[in-house]
Amino acid sequence: MSKLYIFAIGGTGTRVLKSLTMLLASGMNTNVEEIVPMVIDTDINNGDLERFRRVINDYHKINSKLYSGVSHNEFKDNFFRTKIAKPKELNISGLDFGTLADMFDYSGLNASGHKETKFLIDLLLSEDNLIMKLENGFLGNPNVGSIVLKHVVETREFKDFTQDFQQGDRIFIINSIFGGTGAAGFPLLLKIFRDNTSGLNNIGLINSSIIGGVTVLPYFEVDVEKFQNGESAINSDTFITKSKAALSYYDRHVGHLINALYYIGDTKKSSYENIEGGTEQKNPANFIELASAMAILNFINYEPGAKTTDDLDKFSRYFEFAIDKNEGQFNLNQLKEDNDSFSKSLILFTYLSIYITNFFEGAILNKNLAWKNELNIPSTFYKSDFSKAAISFFENFYYKWLIEMSFSKHGRKFTPFNLYTAQAIEDYHLDNPVKFSITLEKLFTIVNERPAKRMDKFLHKDSIKFDQIFTELVQETKTKNLALTELAVMDVLKNGLEKIYNERYKY
Amino acid sequence: MAHKISLINEQTASKCFWNKYDNNPYNDEKIAMITDNIGNIEVPVTSIPSPFARIHLFEAAFNYVVEYYNRKKNQKTINEKTTYHHLISDCLDVYEMLFSYDELQLDKKIKLINWDFSKLKALQESSKSGRRIFADVFQLYINNYNKDERFTNNGIENPFHSFAILLLNNKVIAGTSPFTGFYTTANLINDEVRNHDGRVFFSNIMPLYKRSLKFQRFINLFFESQPQVIHAFPAVHKYLEINRKFITDIKTKKFISEITAGEHLDEINEWDILYINESALNILPEIRYRFKKIDGGKTIVDIIKKCDYIIRTRKTISKPPMALKENLKNTHWNYIKGNPLDENTKIPSIDSMPYEERTIPGFDTIKYPYVLRNDFLSKYIIELDYEINDAKFWMGKSDKIARNVLLPIKPDYFRFFTIKDLKENLTITKLDSGSITVHLEIPICADNGRAKITFERTYNKINPNNLEGENKGVIIPSIFYFGIYPFYKSKSIVYNDLYKIAIFNDESVKVDCSFFRENISENKLIPVSISKTFVRTREAEGLGVVSKYIEISKDLDENDKDIQFDFVSINCQVNDFDIHGLIIPIMPEIGSLSQTASAIAYDIGTSNTFISISANGSAEKLSTFNRGQEPGDMHFVMLHKAITDVDDIRGSNQYDINSRHDLRFRPLQLNEFMPSLIGEKSEYSFPIKTIINQDNDCDAANENNINVLASINIPFAFGNEKMRNDFDNAYSNLKWEISNIENIAARNRLKAFVEQLVIMGRNKILSEGKDPSKTDVLWFKPLSMATGQIAIFENFWNEFYTKYFSKQKGNTKKLHHITESWAPFYSYEKTFVGRYFLNIDIGGGTTDLLAFKDIKPTLTCSFRFAGNNLFDNGFNFDDADANIGRKKDNGFVLKYEKIMRKMFEDNKDEDKLDILQYIYDSSELNSEDIIGFFFGIKEFSNFLKLDKDFMLLFLLHNAAIFYHSAQILKSQNPDLMPTDIGLSGNGARLLEIPNKNNDLNRAKGMSHLVSQIFKFVFGQENVSKINLQILDNPKESTAIGGIKGLKQILNNPTADIDNYYIPLGDNDTIIHNGDFETKKKYSYRYIRDDSAIVERIASNYSGFITYFFECLWYECDMPNNFDVDKSYNTEKLIKYFNNPNNITNVLDSAINYKMLVEKELELNETMFFIPLRAYIYDFSKIIADESELNKFKGI
C-alpha cells in the first residue's frame, strides 16, 4: 500500500494513535510506505493530544535517524520501522466560535430574513445545544458536532490531504461513538468522502478509495457525581443509551458508506475521573485502545491487493475483537495467536526497553566491551540525540503506557509484563520519567505467566547476558557495512534479542 | 471459542484478535440486547451524529419500545416510564392535539410555519462563513436522507425538502418529521393545552391504547388507508399494531380489525383536512393531516345515589367501588338511582379501563369505579413442589388447605381492602380430585351490610391454552425458592433499613416480584421500591438454576423513608404465561426498643473470626435467631416448610433447602447467601473462617460491584458444603491482603466481609428488642498493623457503624476500637492480683503480648509471626508485588494433601474430596486454607501429633515465640520474670500438638519448656515453674475479654498505646512507642543502610537456633518428651538453619518489602522472626521429600 491517512477524532482518536505508535515501534507490520495521522480535535489544549505530540516527536527522531535513505523493503520488522508523518492537526479551535449560536449568528437570523430557518433550528436543537461552549469539544452532543466539524474541510491541512491523495492510498477513521467529537466526525467525514458532488480536490479518487474505521463503543465510565452536582457536563450514565441510538443510526445511514468497520466496546468498564477536556484530560491508556490500534494493522492487510472499492470482494464488512476468556485481567497468554508474532514483537521490544534504559549507558561507557568496540561506537554515543530520544521514548511513554494499561481502574487490565515496582509507580505519579530498575533475577519473570526458560544449576544461577550475546553476533552486523552507527547498533541489538527470544521463549 | 469484547454480554467469536463478518454485528436486534439504564434513570438523549438527531430520536423511541415489546411480549412494556415512552407519548400528543384542534379551540393558539429547501440557498449566500457551513451541512445531510430507500422505493419524493413547524402561543413546540410524522422540541413546553378529559398534553406518559377511542380509530385508519404513511413511518406503524392488542372496547377493536382487513378505508375522507392559518398541514409530500370537527353533545356524569353493591371495607376511601359479577340477578338490591339491576344489563367479565375511568354497566355516561372477579382473582394459581411454611406465610383459611400454592390474589385487591379483610374472606380448598377452589367473598352494603358477593374459581391442572369459561382456572406448576432476610419489621422506622430477598428459580421459570405496603386511607397501592437487583448465578452459566437477590434499602439520609412491606406480588413467567401470585409474610414486629446497654465485639482474625454479644451479663456467640424462642424467631426465613420429622435432618439443615427438596438449589442458598440458622444448635457457628465468597463475574476492584449478600457473601458453609469453583471465587487472608495499598479489590472484599457481620450483628441486637444506638460496638486491631491499614479499617467501621447502628452521620460515640492484645486478659475467670502476668495471644497472623503487673498494664507488643506461619509459603518478598497465582507447596500441604485425600477416598467421602479439590484449584486460596480445612477434621491433629518429623517445626515455632517474648520482657525490665503466662488465640492450640494433650502444665510438658526458655533468657538459675493458662476456646477470648473488660479498658483507653513497645529483633533493643527520637532513628532506610544493625538481628536469630539445638533440645529431652524424631542430626540442622547468607538475604528483602510495598518508613515490628519464617517454609518442603530429609538425619 502507498499511504494510509488516519483520521483520529477526539481524545480516543489520539490515544489509539499512541497505542499504534507503540505497536509500530515494536516492529509490527511495515506493509505501508507511510502513515499520515490527521488529528481532529476541537480542543487543542487537550492533554491526550499533547502527550501524543511528544510521543510522535520521539518516534520521529528515532525513525529518521535509523532509516533515512533506507529502502522501504529493507529491515522489515525492525523496531521503529514504519514511517509516521508529522501529524497534521485539523484543529478548529472551539474558542474561535464560542457557541453554536455564535457560529451562525443565531440572534441575527430573524433580522436578516431567515425567520423560518430560525424556527427550524429551535425545533431541531435545544437551547442547551445552542449556548454550549465549544472550547472543550462537544461534550457528548454529536448533533452539534456534526455541524461545527464541517469547518475541518476548510482547513489548509485537509486541502493538502485532498491534493496529495493518490490512487491506492487508503483512509482510516478512528472515533468513539459515545463522546461528541468522534461520534459526529465519523459520519460527517464519510458523507463528505462519498459525496461525488462535494467539489473536493481528487474527489473521484477519494470517493472510490478503500475506507476503514474503528468505532469505539463505551469502555469506560466517569465519576457521575461531578455531573450530578454540575461540575462536569459529561454523564457516563448515558453513554450506553447514547451509543445505542448512534449504533442504530450507523446501521441505517453509515454502514453502506464504509468498507471495513471495526467495532469494539466493553461491558467491563474502566472508571476515570470526570474532566471536560482541557489540559487535564489525560485518560490512562487502555487495552481497548491497543485493540483499536491493532484494527489499523488489520486494515492495512485487508485485501492488500485492492486499490479501489471496485477491487473489493464485498463492499462493506465488519469486524469485532475477541480474547480467549472473559476476564478482567489478562496477559499475552490470553491472546491466543495463530503464530506468536504479536507477543514476540512486544516481548522483544520490552527487552529492548529494559536494555536501553538499564544497561545501555554502562555498555557504551565500558572500554572493554567487545561488540561496542567492534562497531567503533564512541563513548559519546549514549548522549547522542538518538540515544536520548530512545531513552525518552521508553521512560516517558512506553513504560507509562504499560503501567496505565494495568491500572486497577480498568475493567480489563492488560498486564503483559511484570513492570510494577513501587519506584516505577511513584515515578509515574510524580510525572517523572519512569525508572524501571530491574534485577538480573527479574529478567526471567518479566513476561507475566510466561517465564523465560532458565537453566539453573545448584549454586549457579542462570542469567540473561545481553552483552555476551551481542558480542557473539556482532560480526554478522559488521558484514552489512552499515553507514549509520545508529542502524548498526539497532541491528546488533535486534539480532541479539531475537536470539534471546528463541532460546528463552520458544520452548 | 474466544470471548468477544463487545457491549453485549457473553458473545463468542471463532478466534482471538479481530474477526471478520459480512453483516453488521450491531443491527437492531443486537442493539436491543445491549443493557442500558434507560428505565432506571431519565436521561437526555442527543447522541445521533446528525443535525437532524431530534427526529431520529423519536423514531429510535418507537423502535425501542417495539423491540422491547417483541422481546417480552407483555403489556407492561408499553406502559413503562422511560425517556423513550415519554417521547412516544409526546409524539402521540401532537397527533391527538391536532386531531382535536377544533374541539379544543386551538385556532387562536396554534400557528403553522412552512420551511422549505430554498431557505438553505438563502443562507448559503450569507456573508457569514458560519452560516454557509451550516447550510452546507444541512444540504449534505438532506441529500443523503432523501435517498433513503424507504422513500425512494415508495414514491415519496424529497421528504426532507419541506417541514411544517407548529407554534403554540408563538413558541415552537413541534414539527413534521418524515420518520414519525411529528416530533417535539427538546426545550420545555410551558404553555398548557388540556384534552377533553382535562389531561395536559406533554405532561404524563399516555400510551396509545389508553387514549380516546375515537382518536384511536382515526389514527389507525389514517395509517392503514395511506400506504405511504406506513412506509415512511414504519416504527410508528408497528407501535400502532401492538397497541391494538390491548384495546378493550369491543366495537373499537372490531372496527380496527376490519380496517386491517381492508374495509372502511374510504372513510378517511370523512375526516376533514386540517388547515391552520389557511395552509394545509402536510405530514409528508402530498399527504395531509386530518382532524375531527365538533359534533356537539356533552356527556353528563351522574352521581351514584344509594347503591347496594358498594363494597364494605376496613379502608376509608372516598369512592368505594361497586362489586359486580357476571349473570348477577337480584331484584331487591338497588343498583342505580334506586332501581334494581336491569336483567338485560350485561356485566362484563373484564374491564381494562382504570377504575377511575370505568363507566358502570348499562350507563355509558356514568363514570364510577366498580370491581369484577378478574380484578382480584387470578386465572392461574402457582403450585410449588414443596409445602409452604404456613407459620411464617399466611396461606388462606380452610380445613383442607392447599399447602403448596401461592394466593391467586391480584395486588389490586389491596386498593380497596386490607390484609385483615383478606384473611376473613379468602378460602382456598383442595378437592380430592386435586382441583383447588378459591372463594373470595366481597362484603357489600346490601341487606344492611350482611350481604356478600362471592368471587370464586376452580383451578385444574389443564393446558392453559385450553382454558374456557370464567369459572375455571389453571394450576401452573412452578419451581422456585424464596427467602427474606431479616424476617421482621421494626416499629422504629429508622431501623427498617435493609431487606434482602433471595429468589432461586429453575431456568424454565422467570420470577420477578414487587413489594407493597398496606395503607388504609387511599384507594391505591403503595409500592415499595427495589433498590438493587443482582442476578448471581445466571441462566447463561448453564446450571439450569438461577439466583437473584433483591435489595430493598435506604440511605442514611433517608431515615424517615419507610421501606416496610406487607405483601409481595410474585410474577412467574412459565412457558410464555405471565402468572401472578401473592405472598403475605407474617413478620413479627419489634416494638419499642429497650434502652438497656448491650455490647457486641468483633474479632476479625487472620484465619478465624469470632463475634460475641453481651446478653444478660454474660457473653454469647452471635446467632441468627432469638434466644429461647427458636425456631420461633429466625432472621432468615424461606418460603418452604421446615423438615422436622426426620432424625438425620437437624440444625440449620431442617430449614435449609435439603435432601427433601430440589438439591440443585442448595448451593445457591448455602454458598451464595446464608444458612437458615447460624449459632448454637446449628452446624454453622462462630468462630468461622475469615473467608469471603465472590461471584465469578464480579470485579471487586470496583466498589460499585460489591453488594453484600448479592454479589459477595460470607460462605458459612465453607468446609461443610461443596463450593462451586466455576461460579464463585473464595478469598482468604482478607485482613492482611490490604497491606498492599494498591490492592483495591482486597480492600473492598475485606469491607464486604465486615459489612455482612455488621448487618448480622445489628439485626440480632434489634431482633432482641435492644436499641442499636445504645449498643457498644467493639472491634479489634492488631498493634503491628500499619497506620495506613488501620485507617482503612477505621474508615469503614465508622461508615458501617453510622449506617447501621447510630443512624447519625458523625455519631460514633459508642464505637470502640481496642487493640487485640488488650482484651484477652479480661477473659480469664481468675484475677491476677499481686502477680506479674504475661498474656500471649497467638492468632493466625499476629501474636500480641501484654504484660500486667498487679493487674496494671506495663507492656504491650505485637508481631506478625503466629499460627499460620507454620503452614504458609514463607512469604516470598520477591513475588509479593507480582500478584501471581498462589502456590500451595508448603511441606505440610505436600505431605498431608496426599494422606488426607487417600483417607477421604477410603471413606468414600465425595463431599470432602470436592471441597479439597475446590480449595486446591482456587487461585485465591493458600496453603493455610488447605491446612485450615484439615484442622476441621478430627483425624488431622492426631496425625500431626504422631508426626515425628514435623514435630521439629512445631517446637521451633513455639519455642521462638517464647524465646523472643522473654527477650522483650527482659529488655524492658531485666529483673522481673513473669509468674503466669496466659495463652489465647487460635494459634495457641498448636501448643497442644507437641504437648500431646491439652494440659500444658503436665510434667515435662510445654510449661517446662517455657520455664526453661525464660530461665535461660533471664539468666536465672532457680526458678519455679511458670503457670500456663489457656481457655477451652482460646479464639473466643479476645471478643469475650473485650466485652467483659470494656469498662476497665474505657477507663484507661490509652494504656495499650502508652505501654506499647517495638522491639528491633536483636536481643535487647526495644523502643517505646512514644519515643519519637529513637523511632526516627530506626527508619527502614537507616536499618537497610547500616549493616551492623542487620548483623545484630541475624546474630540474635542465630543465637536462638544454637540455643535450641545445643541446649534446649537436651534440657527438655525433646525426642522423649515431645516425640520429635530421634535420628535428627542437630549439628547438621544448626548448619542448615544458620546459613549467614540466607539470613541476611531474607532480612534485606523484607526491609525492601516494608518500604516499597507496605510503604512503611519506621520500624513497626520486630524482625527476629523473619529468617525463621523463611526457614520453616523451606524445611517443611525438605520434610516432605524423604531423600532430602535423610540428609539431616543420622551421623
Side-chain angles (χ1 to χ4, degrees), chain B residues 502-779:
Chain B
I503 301 172
F504 310 132
N505 58 276
D506 187 273
E507 66 179 2
S508 64
V509 186
K510 300 230 172 346
V511 184
D512 268 313
C513 45
S514 16
F515 300 81
F516 298 93
R517 186 166 57 251
E518 186 168 51
N519 81 88
I520 54 158
S521 56
E522 281 176 292
N523 69 346
K524 64 178 189 192
L525 293 168
I526 302 190
V528 176
S529 55
I530 289 172
S531 316
K532 284 176 197 156
T533 299
F534 181 78
V535 178
R536 178 147 166 187
T537 296
R538 291 169 292 109
E539 193 176 333
E541 289 179 294
L543 266 186
V545 293
V546 175
S547 65
K548 175 151 75 180
Y549 300 96
I550 291 174
E551 178 178 313
I552 299 177
S553 61
K554 61 183 181 188
D555 287 338
L556 194 49
D557 48 16
E558 300 173 306
N559 273 341
D560 297 335
K561 183 173 156 188
D562 192 352
I563 62 162
Q564 268 190 31
F565 58 90
D566 297 304
F567 56 94
V568 187
S569 168
I570 302 276
N571 180 11
C572 289
Q573 255 187 30
V574 189
N575 304 331
D576 293 339
F577 277 90
D578 243 348
I579 310 154
H580 294 271
L582 194 75
I583 290 179
I584 303 181
I586 313 170
M587 295 198 257
E589 188 180 64
I590 297 156
S592 309
L593 298 174
S594 138
Q595 301 297 298
T596 38
S598 51
I600 180 164
Y602 288 90
D603 177 17
I604 294 168
T606 310
S607 7
N608 291 288
T609 288
F610 184 77
I611 298 165
S612 182
I613 290 195
S614 74
N616 314 322
S618 65
E620 67 167 41
K621 291 178 183 184
L622 174 63
S623 63
T624 59
F625 51 85
N626 288 6
R627 268 155 54 86
Q629 294 165 34
E630 185 261 324
D633 285 329
M634 289 163 53
H635 301 167
F636 174 45
V637 173
M638 295 204 61
L639 185 62
H640 62 268
K641 197 170 189 147
I643 308 290
T644 49
D645 55 350
V646 186
D647 278 348
D648 57 354
I649 301 184
R650 285 271 151 259
S652 184
N653 200 18
Q654 288 182 75
Y655 307 98
D656 296 336
I657 299 172
N658 61 34
S659 52
R660 290 286 193 87
H661 304 115
D662 190 337
L663 273 174
R664 294 177 304 156
F665 294 100
R666 183 170 167 88
L668 301 183
Q669 186 199 340
L670 292 179
N671 293 346
E672 293 185 358
F673 203 69
M674 61 158 88
S676 305
L677 280 187
I678 297 167
E680 310 284 358
K681 300 179 190 169
S682 164
E683 52 277 48
Y684 311 109
S685 157
F686 287 92
I688 56 164
K689 296 235 175 326
T690 307
I691 283 182
I692 198 130
N693 201 28
Q694 180 187 318
D695 181 31
N696 59 335
D697 301 318
C698 164
D699 172 16
N702 181 346
E703 197 172 347
N704 297 330
N705 295 341
I706 299 278
N707 184 1
V708 168
L709 291 173
S711 61
I712 195 163
N713 68 308
I714 299 178
F716 285 92
F718 186 87
N720 285 31
E721 285 292 317
K722 217 155 98 170
M723 303 288 285
R724 307 175 309 161
N725 214 351
D726 296 340
F727 305 98
D728 297 310
N729 296 323
Y731 292 83
S732 62
N733 198 19
L734 302 175
K735 187 168 166 183
W736 293 98
E737 201 82 329
I738 61 164
S739 63
N740 181 351
I741 43 185
E742 310 280 350
N743 193 341
I744 314 268
R747 176 187 310 185
N748 288 337
R749 280 191 278 268
L750 173 64
K751 196 172 167 186
F753 184 82
V754 173
E755 184 170 16
Q756 184 173 344
L757 295 175
V758 169
I759 292 169
M760 290 173 61
R762 197 288 306 268
N763 286 351
K764 166 77 178 168
I765 284 173
L766 195 61
S767 72
E768 302 265 14
K770 290 177 184 145
D771 187 343
S773 69
K774 301 285 185 302
T775 302
D776 288 300
V777 178
L778 286 65
W779 62 276

Side-chain angles (χ1 to χ4, degrees), chain A residues 104-105 112 117 127 141 151 183 195 237 244 251-252 265 291 295 314 317-323 420 422, chain B residues 3-6 17-19 21-22 24 28 31 34 36-37 46 49-50 115 131 133 140 187 742 881 1156:
Chain A
F104 51 76
D105 187 14
S112 45
T117 301
E127 279 164 22
N141 295 287
H151 282 92
D195 183 0
D237 270 354
K244 286 175 75 168
D251 189 35
R252 289 190 173 78
K314 184 169 185 301
R317 276 212 174 83
Y318 299 86
F319 297 80
E320 282 194 285
F321 194 84
I323 58 176
Y420 188 93
Chain B
H3 170 81
K4 229 188 232 182
I5 302 191
S6 131
F17 293 88
W18 288 100
N19 291 265
Y21 302 97
D22 278 349
N24 189 355
D28 276 343
I31 294 169
I34 303 172
D36 60 2
N37 51 12
T46 52
S50 156
W115 181 92
R131 285 192 182 163
I133 286 195
L140 192 64
N187 300 321
E742 310 280 350
D881 59 341
L1156 298 179

Side-chain angles (χ1 to χ4, degrees), chain A residues 167-186:
Chain A
Q167 190 164 50
D169 291 348
R170 289 185 180 189
I171 297 171
F172 194 86
I173 306 169
I174 309 166
N175 76 99
S176 66
I177 205 166
F178 50 102
T181 317
F186 180 51

Side-chain angles (χ1 to χ4, degrees), chain A residues 272-339:
Chain A
Y272 294 166
E273 269 191 85
N274 192 342
I275 290 162
E276 288 178 18
T279 49
E280 291 297 308
Q281 192 194 339
K282 275 191 263 186
N283 288 334
N286 188 313
F287 179 76
I288 300 295
E289 294 144 15
L290 169 58
S292 305
M294 283 193 265
I296 300 172
L297 301 184
N298 186 291
F299 176 69
I300 290 172
N301 289 319
Y302 176 63
E303 303 205 17
K307 283 190 178 316
T308 70
T309 54
D310 291 338
D311 303 333
L312 290 173
D313 188 28
K314 184 169 185 301
F315 189 86
S316 290
R317 276 212 174 83
Y318 299 86
F319 297 80
E320 282 194 285
F321 194 84
I323 58 176
D324 188 38
K325 288 207 174 64
N326 185 15
E327 279 164 0
Q329 176 165 2
F330 62 101
N331 52 42
L332 291 173
N333 288 358
Q334 280 82 47
L335 287 171
K336 297 238 162 79
E337 294 181 74
D338 296 340
N339 54 44

